[in-house]
Amino acid sequence: MIRRILGVFLAVLTTGVVLHATIFSTVRGVVHDPSHRPIANAKVMLESTQSDWKRDAATNDEGEFAIDAVPAGEYRVRIESAGFTPLERTLTVASGSAPILHLALDIAGGAEKVEVSASTEEAAQESATAESEVTRTQMLETPGAERTNSLAAITDYVPGAYMVHDQLHVRGGHQVSWLVDGVPVPNTNIASNVGPQFDPRDIETLEESRGGLSADLGDRTYVAFNVVTRSGFERNREAELSTTVGNFGATDDSLSFGDHSSRFAYYASVNGNRSDYGLETPTASVLHDTEGGEGGFASLIYNATPKDQLRLVTSLRRDNFEVPNDAANQLAGVNDFERESDAFVNFSWVHTISNGALVVISPFYHFNRALYDGSPADPDVEATDHRTSQYAGGQVSLSIVRGRHNARAGVYGFAQRDDEFFRLSATDGSGTTVAQSTHPTGNLEAVFLEEQFRAANWLMLT
């Protein structure tokens, strides 16, 4: 199995070009005067509204500028040039996009004007994919959205999202794919998992893609969520302790801390939660339904050189659920449990080849376990269903932005090993038991290629 995992990983690294979604984009534009003549050597400053991330650039003789490796999120861009009034605008950058900004500077000392706007200007839509973005600010403003087991940030802001049988459904299905900072977290055990994979407090921005998917997400049936994690660039040797109590003896606690320098940033958190009302109950009464969990998360970013960035994201959590009873099972002493564990580690090397060309190499590992244990008090049959899955693989991605072109291509793959155990034991005293243990393996390889060509200001060909 190890040989197969290494083989798939090496194949991913050596096959070349790019792969699945990335959180990085290129911001480019043209700066001109009121007569639409280009302004050379104008200073362009791009800075995040959510952290201390910032980049500077200068326009060329044609008034053009480009800033590569811009993480998805909300930004403020400021343009300055001698003899002109400084201009400041806000924009939202989506993963894999290459928005083109047209920025006009007024002559200094000319007629002054005041513009009042109630909305933030966003980058133009670059594809036919239906997309939504939930920012950390929105999560803070949504009641309950920051609780560990809460998906309110999704169900309140993503069209067609709702909870059924303790699972998230979007567009009529629960086959939800997750990516962390553009790196996939594969999980074929989704039908058995009811615990959270991510704590909302560790998320900076949540990008959601559904319908009309681009080539890098073309194998997603229903929806793909890209979790842009907190990096530490928003912290200055700061720590935050949060504790919440509520009905049903619920508690939800977290401790996070982070810091950054000009080249290095870190963010880490630990959390714990419990409640007497966990899973959806079969009756109006809440019986045998406690839940509890704990987890940890860490993100490290190091800008080794102006063209090289190293990123490490890792998470570990464990959740325990009592399977709720009705009145009859409670009286009989039924004591069924669901126990889940999940851990992943993603590493990325982000390298700027040249202006407008970016390559990302990302190996990853994911561990997932779901253990269902019945009890001897179960009527007729006691069931045991254990499944452990391990995934190891990688992705390599290349994006090139040139003029009217925004091209992406890549390769992605992983190997998987499962350990499954299933047993049925009669509880009528007969001693009848049926059990089976299996160890299936598998692998997946995918290649994609996509080109976006802006034929006109109003027409994008993909």
Side-chain angles (χ1 to χ4, degrees), residues 88-124:
E88 189 170 292
R89 284 173 53 179
T90 57
L91 70 151
T92 299
V93 177
S95 296
S97 64
I100 301 177
L101 308 177
H102 289 270
L103 306 167
L105 299 186
D106 291 328
I107 303 295
E112 295 185 357
K113 60 180 179 180
V114 177
E115 295 183 358
V116 178
S117 175
S119 61
T120 298
E121 183 172 348
E122 297 187 356

Side-chain angles (χ1 to χ4, degrees), residues 383-386 420-424 434-437:
T384 300
D385 187 9
H386 293 180
E420 300 177 359
F421 176 72
F422 182 76
R423 181 180 63 201
L424 295 176
V434 177
Q436 183 182 43
S437 179

Side-chain angles (χ1 to χ4, degrees), residues 142-370:
T142 304
E146 282 204 317
R147 289 186 294 111
T148 300
N149 278 315
S150 175
L151 291 175
I154 295 178
T155 56
D156 284 8
Y157 292 102
V158 176
Y162 52 94
M163 294 292 294
V164 175
H165 304 306
D166 301 300
Q167 289 190 329
L168 176 66
H169 288 64
V170 183
R171 300 176 67 232
H174 66 273
Q175 295 179 5
V176 177
S177 297
W178 292 92
L179 302 92
V180 176
D181 290 338
V183 182
V185 181
N187 185 13
T188 60
N189 205 14
I190 189 171
S192 300
N193 289 159
V194 291
Q197 271 190 297
F198 308 99
D199 191 308
R201 287 165 291 205
D202 298 327
I203 299 175
E204 190 65 53
T205 304
L206 183 64
E207 296 184 325
E208 173 264 348
S209 302
R210 66 194 187 281
L213 297 178
S214 57
D216 52 348
L217 294 174
D219 59 342
R220 304 317 202 262
T221 304
Y222 290 97
V223 65
F225 288 103
N226 184 27
V227 177
V228 181
T229 60
R230 301 184 72 173
S231 64
F233 277 108
E234 74 282 0
R235 296 285 183 92
N236 292 294
R237 299 181 65 183
E238 297 171 343
E240 180 180 68
L241 174 65
S242 172
T243 181
T244 304
V245 296
N247 296 336
F248 297 99
T251 64
D252 202 348
D253 312 306
S254 74
L255 172 64
S256 64
F257 45 92
D259 191 18
H260 74 278
S261 64
S262 60
R263 299 177 61 186
F264 176 74
Y266 72 88
Y267 171 87
S269 69
V270 292
N271 63 79
N273 65 282
R274 63 97 47 211
S275 174
D276 293 330
Y277 186 11
L279 301 179
E280 183 178 333
T281 58
T283 63
S285 301
V286 180
L287 303 172
H288 191 267
D289 198 20
T290 64
E291 62 89 12
E294 57 276 336
F297 174 87
S299 169
L300 303 174
I301 297 180
Y302 177 59
N303 294 315
T305 71
K307 292 188 175 183
D308 295 280
Q309 182 182 90
L310 305 178
R311 303 169 62 94
L312 177 69
V313 178
T314 183
S315 173
L316 172 67
R317 68 169 301 104
R318 181 177 61 184
D319 294 279
N320 300 313
F321 299 90
E322 288 183 339
V323 178
N325 287 335
D326 56 21
N329 284 346
Q330 185 72 8
L331 185 63
V334 172
N335 188 30
D336 295 354
F337 273 91
E338 171 80 3
R339 299 177 176 88
E340 299 182 8
S341 301
D342 191 270
F344 68 82
V345 56
N346 296 342
F347 175 81
S348 295
W349 171 38
V350 184
H351 176 64
T352 302
I353 302 174
S354 62
N355 290 338
L358 190 73
V359 62
V360 183
I361 300 176
S362 303
F364 61 81
Y365 171 78
H366 182 212
F367 172 88
N368 182 268
R369 173 179 290 165

Side-chain angles (χ1 to χ4, degrees), residues 31-47:
V31 179
H32 55 81
D33 64 16
S35 299
H36 290 274
R37 291 174 298 185
I39 300 176
N41 298 318
K43 185 178 181 180
V44 182
M45 294 161 284
L46 183 69
E47 57 183 21

